[in-house]
Every structure is written in C-alpha cells, then in structure tokens.
Amino acid sequence: MPSILLAEDNELNRNMLSRRLELRGFSVILATNGLEAVRMAEDSLPAIILMDMSLPEIDGWEATRRLKNNPRTAHIPVLALTAHAMPDDRHKALAAGCDDYDAKPVNFPQLLDKIGALLARRTDKSNSGTESV
Ligand code: MN
C-alpha cells in the first residue's frame, strides 16, 4: 500500500487520522511541524502528503511551496487540510501548489476519496508517461 506523510501538529488529530489510515492499509509517517514535513518528504518520498496548513516552524503553505519548488518532491501530491472554512482558503492552498483541499474536521470517507483520486492521477501519469491536462 502507498505511504502517506501526515503533517499535523495537533496530537489528537494526528493519532486519530493516522490510526484510521493505517486501518485502511496505508503506511503512515508523521511530521509535527512544517520543517519536519519538508525534510521527511525529501527523505521518504511518500506517495502523498496530507498537510495541515496551520503548523509551527513554517506553515503548510510555505512547506508546500518548498516541496513544489524542489524537483525531488515536486511530483508528490499535497492534500491541504485546514480548519478555516473560508472560500479564500481553497484558492490560497491551490496557489501554494496544493493538489487538492479538504476542510477540518475531516469527513473520513470523503478524505479517502480525495486520496484515492490523487493517487490514481499519479498512477495514470506514470503509466502513460505523458502529462494529463
Ligand atoms: Mn495545526
């Protein structure tokens, strides 16, 4: 099963979400701040990153910009998670380079759908060898 990097500073959210993902068969690695997320993504090259946007050290927006500017990690889909429900947040997340966005508290089945869609898109690309439009 694909590996997921979960960047979340809230311990309860982190534990709950990682447990639920592991029950679905994903292997989950955990980062507790933005700098750690960037470092772990580079070291582990996970299949996908779930990025809380409100993180210490550097926030999720800055961490995503760094990941997307790094050729080693630019291909990894980043799914932004934010507690803010402002319509502007989606734009802000996508502008930072996030591939998709979901609001917290997380609706787990919906989150799984979004993870599945991003992983499928990634597989399509590597199978066809061409950029999808
Ligand atoms: Mn947070």
Side-chain angles (χ1 to χ4, degrees):
M1 276 299 270
S3 62
I4 295 182
L5 170 59
L6 171 61
E8 167 64 83
D9 60 317
N10 179 285
E11 189 180 1
L12 284 177
N13 288 345
R14 195 169 61 236
N15 290 345
M16 183 193 64
L17 199 49
S18 63
R19 199 172 308 127
R20 298 187 78 174
L21 290 166
E22 279 165 355
L23 283 171
R24 295 297 177 127
F26 292 101
S27 78
V28 182
I29 51 178
L30 300 170
T32 60
N33 66 59
L35 282 179
E36 202 176 50
V38 172
R39 202 165 47 230
M40 291 179 78
E42 260 205 300
D43 290 346
S44 311
L45 299 178
I48 185 168
I49 300 169
L50 301 188
M51 183 80 79
D52 176 28
M53 289 287 106
S54 174
L55 288 172
E57 304 295 337
I58 60 173
D59 65 26
W61 289 284
E62 177 59 23
T64 301
R65 276 190 288 271
R66 292 190 191 186
L67 290 166
K68 293 299 181 179
N69 281 322
N70 179 348
R72 193 169 152 76
T73 52
H75 67 282
I76 305 172
V78 176
L79 203 167
L81 298 175
T82 168
H84 315 151
M86 309 298 280
D88 190 43
D89 268 19
R90 183 185 174 83
H91 297 288
K92 215 175 145 193
L94 299 179
C98 296
D99 298 87
D100 201 356
Y101 164 94
D102 208 358
K104 296 201 289 188
V106 158
N107 172 329
F108 193 65
Q110 179 181 297
L111 181 67
L112 282 179
D113 282 350
K114 293 189 173 194
I115 292 171
L118 287 173
L119 291 176
R121 203 171 76 183
R122 192 168 160 270
T123 310
D124 287 349
K125 272 187 196 172
S126 51
N127 285 347
S128 65
T130 54
E131 278 302 304
S132 53
V133 202

